[in-house]
Amino acid sequence: MLESGLVVFIGNKNDIENVIVVQQSNGIDVMYGYVENLNIKVYDYVEKGTYIGEVNNNNLYMVFSKNGKYLNYEEYLK
């Protein structure tokens, strides 16, 4: 996990499989896609750095958004 937050969705979304959406405590929603072997469930609160699952073949998909608008990921992966 990049930041602490609440897991609000687990499933498939927008043709992306194995999606996890976390509402981070900083107000940013992060959608992680293609995550397998999950060890969390919806409404779990996860701390920064928590292992949430695995990604095979380096296919991690991440989208950052706030108030329904997409954000530039480069600002958050420094």
Side-chain angles (χ1 to χ4, degrees):
M1 292 298 312
L2 296 174
E3 296 292 333
S4 300
L6 182 68
V7 178
V8 296
F9 180 85
I10 295 177
N12 296 336
K13 188 174 203 160
N14 301 333
D15 296 326
I16 306 296
E17 297 176 357
N18 304 326
V19 170
I20 300 168
V21 178
V22 177
Q23 286 182 341
Q24 297 183 151
S25 56
N26 63 4
I28 296 171
D29 295 342
V30 180
M31 182 172 91
Y32 301 88
Y34 304 113
V35 181
E36 300 177 353
N37 301 320
L38 303 178
N39 67 345
I40 57 171
K41 58 187 182 307
V42 174
Y43 303 122
D44 279 354
Y45 185 84
V46 290
E47 296 290 336
K48 180 178 181 175
T50 300
Y51 170 84
I52 59 173
E54 299 175 0
V55 178
N56 291 327
N57 301 323
N58 298 319
N59 287 329
L60 178 63
Y61 178 87
M62 292 178 72
V63 174
F64 295 80
S65 63
K66 186 171 185 173
N67 299 324
K69 295 184 180 184
Y70 294 113
L71 304 173
N72 181 349
Y73 73 93
E74 292 174 338
E75 295 179 33
Y76 304 99
L77 296 179
K78 292 178 182 180

